[in-house]
Amino acid sequence: MRPHELTLTAAADAIRERELSPVELVDSVLDRIEEVDSRLGAYVTVTAEQARRTARAAEQEITASRLRGPLHGIPMGLKDLIDVAGEATTASSRVRADHRAEADSTVAAALTAAGSILVGKTHTHEFAYGLTTPQTSNAWNPNRVAGGSSGGSAVAVAAGAATFALGTDTGGSIRVPAALNGVVGLKPTYGLIPRHGITSLSWSLDHVGPITRTVQDAAIVLTALAGHDPRDPASRAIPATNYRPDAGPDLKGLRIGVPRNYYFDHVTPAIETTVRRAISELESQGAQLVEVEIPMTRYIQATQWGLMVPEATAFHEKTLRTIPELYQPDVRILLEAGELMPAGDYLRAQRARTLMQQAWARVFEEVDVIAAPTVPLTAVQSGTDAITWPDGNNEGVSDAYVRLSAPANITGIPALSIPVGHDTDGMPIGMQLLARPFEEPALLRVGHAYEQTHLVRPLAMT
């Protein structure tokens, strides 16, 4: 096995035991980027020279018995919305082509302090305003979409071109590409990970979180990132926690909600069959399955767009009026639409969000975790704008991908996507786990328990 094929957990163990050096690991990941990224387009920029220098320094520290922890010497990719001092933050847009960050974002500083090594900035759908990341190809089939907006991060991890990566999630932008590329994506509770130094799409919906090969890997990264930063007004002061789940595949006493509505409506047969099979496996591990009714479903999409569209337009107000021609057409249309939205609609969306948060809290009085599909269909062919369901209903691809992930952004609850199989075309299928605010340990326990009974997925394109 080449070093880039190792999970974060396995690589960290090998580095701790002096069986692998950070230099070997970084060289392997950089070689992998050179091998596959011309086909995949995961990276905006690759910081190879700096990564190798940092790896040599990490090796010296570890040799001198100054190991900082499990992230020391681990290569990472950062979505190109996340500031790193001296590096470009382009948001994959011509609008930001000349922008360079003056200081580290909170998350970049935390990961650097933990010893992680940046190998590059990964592509996003322009300014995170989309669900496909058109610059990037799916790691399992380059003719399929990567998902978005954190498509570059998910593809890099899935292809072994990063040991882990960070993405952002405003309507599903971590979980959607994670599901479509067969990796793990964690959207934490709103306010758990500070967003200072990260380009915003919609400040009341934005989250930042890890994309990894395994749930254990995600827990390691979350442990390093969770914390308070007053420079993010939404940041919450939560006691330091080690999120690594150590228990085996025993879920006795855990109540898992299975939606009787919404989440299994308009999904492909492969998605429904595979996710329900995975839920049954959780039951075989001791969990109690409880049917739940998802509340206020008719308002979910309208609330998501009603919050996101005006907030995004407000963020882009100056450049939209001075250099609109530099935006991609799909993003420009959405930003201009935001200028036409009445203030009353935005206020009604905020009221709907409050009612939805209260209604979901009542659902979680009955269960500990909800299990459902992450997305209603696997990765579509690149260039596909809409799909037709068997009942004749047409749905835009972006609307389809955001439909099942938006509730967690509106309510701010944590959500975890884990790979649970493939369809007949070999494309990955994801299961989404949702929990009460700040109950990440419950999500990670369930996801880890599922992984204990399944082999780690092979890397894509190997």
Side-chain angles (χ1 to χ4, degrees):
M1 178 180 285
R2 293 159 66 187
H4 74 264
E5 299 178 62
L6 295 170
T7 66
L8 190 164
T9 302
D13 289 345
I15 288 173
R16 186 187 67 242
E17 298 299 324
R18 311 284 178 89
E19 297 168 354
L20 175 69
S21 79
V23 172
E24 292 171 324
L25 180 56
V26 166
D27 281 345
S28 183
V29 168
L30 291 173
D31 288 346
R32 182 63 170 169
I33 294 172
E34 187 172 350
E35 178 184 344
V36 302
D37 203 51
S38 61
R39 287 172 288 168
L40 297 179
Y43 282 94
V44 179
T45 183
V46 177
T47 55
E49 184 177 341
Q50 177 63 35
R52 289 191 171 99
R53 283 200 302 269
T54 308
R56 289 193 293 270
E59 185 173 51
Q60 292 173 357
E61 284 188 301
I62 293 166
T63 301
S65 299
R66 297 199 302 271
L67 180 69
R68 302 186 200 178
L71 291 177
H72 202 173
I74 302 296
M76 65 177 176
L78 297 180
K79 185 176 183 178
D80 200 28
L81 301 177
I82 300 172
D83 281 353
V84 175
E87 298 292 338
T89 305
T90 72
S92 295
S93 176
R94 293 180 297 171
V95 174
R96 296 282 292 275
D98 298 325
H99 175 82
R100 284 195 174 271
E102 295 181 358
D104 280 345
S105 58
T106 305
V107 292
L111 292 172
T112 299
S116 296
I117 299 172
L118 180 70
V119 293
K121 302 291 287 292
T122 57
H123 266 302
T124 171
H125 202 118
E126 185 178 33
F127 283 105
Y129 214 168
L131 274 297
T132 59
T133 317
Q135 312 92 323
T136 306
S137 298
N138 191 283
W140 291 83
N141 183 339
N143 296 318
R144 304 287 185 105
V145 298
S149 63
S150 306
S153 291
V155 168
V157 173
T163 305
F164 76 95
L166 294 193
T168 62
D169 192 312
T170 305
S173 291
I174 287 172
R175 291 159 289 152
V176 170
L180 300 188
N181 289 279
V183 291
V184 172
L186 174 62
K187 183 204 79 68
T189 304
Y190 186 73
L192 182 61
I193 299 178
R195 303 164 302 172
H196 174 73
I198 300 176
T199 303
S200 176
L201 172 58
S202 171
W203 49 76
S204 74
L205 298 169
D206 291 340
H207 302 66
V208 59
I211 296 174
T212 60
R213 293 274 309 284
T214 72
V215 174
Q216 279 275 23
D217 294 355
I220 290 171
V221 181
L222 178 63
T223 299
L225 295 179
H228 179 58
D229 186 340
R231 293 174 296 180
D232 175 0
S235 179
R236 297 282 296 276
I238 302 298
T241 301
N242 183 347
Y243 289 96
R244 294 185 70 170
D246 296 322
D250 181 354
L251 298 177
K252 290 180 181 178
L254 199 78
R255 301 167 299 167
I256 294 184
V258 182
R260 67 171 66 97
N261 67 321
Y262 192 72
Y263 276 98
F264 288 99
D265 298 341
H266 284 106
V267 302
T268 63
I271 295 276
E272 176 160 13
T273 299
T274 304
V275 173
R276 288 197 185 277
R277 183 187 304 124
I279 293 172
S280 294
E281 293 184 30
L282 298 178
E283 184 180 29
S284 71
Q285 294 171 0
Q288 176 190 357
L289 302 187
V290 180
E291 277 200 348
V292 294
E293 185 80 12
I294 302 301
M296 300 181 65
T297 58
R298 63 182 293 189
Y299 302 107
I300 289 173
Q301 296 257 56
T303 302
Q304 172 71 24
W305 290 104
L307 294 167
M308 182 172 65
V309 170
E311 290 183 358
T313 298
F315 182 84
H316 290 271
E317 182 177 19
K318 180 178 179 181
T319 47
L320 183 61
R321 294 179 180 178
T322 55
I323 48 174
E325 69 281 358
L326 295 185
Y327 288 96
Q328 293 299 314
D330 62 327
V331 172
R332 180 177 174 180
I333 288 170
L334 288 170
L335 292 173
E336 290 175 341
E339 294 191 310
L340 304 176
M341 183 172 287
D345 287 353
Y346 178 57
L347 294 174
R348 279 184 283 273
Q350 292 201 48
R351 184 182 182 206
R353 170 168 52 196
T354 299
L355 295 173
M356 211 172 291
Q357 288 171 332
Q358 294 170 347
W360 275 73
R362 289 191 291 272
V363 174
F364 280 114
E365 292 174 0
E366 305 172 28
V367 297
D368 303 299
V369 170
I370 292 173
T374 306
V375 288
L377 69 165
T378 56
V380 299
Q381 292 284 336
S382 299
T384 303
D385 295 322
I387 58 167
T388 302
W389 294 103
D391 63 4
N393 285 337
N394 292 320
E395 187 174 26
V397 167
S398 291
D399 287 334
Y401 284 147
V402 78
R403 173 159 42 92
L404 305 186
S405 53
N409 295 90
I410 296 169
T411 59
I413 62 175
L416 175 71
S417 180
I418 62 172
V420 292
H422 297 78
D423 66 11
T424 54
D425 292 330
M427 301 309 296
I429 293 172
M431 178 170 69
Q432 182 175 198
L433 303 170
L434 306 105
R436 301 179 191 90
F438 303 104
E439 281 297 324
E440 278 79 3
L443 294 186
L444 296 165
R445 176 188 173 192
V446 175
H448 179 60
Y450 179 85
E451 283 187 343
Q452 298 308 289
T453 61
H454 295 77
L455 294 175
V456 174
R457 280 76 50 190
L459 290 178
M461 297 190 66
T462 53

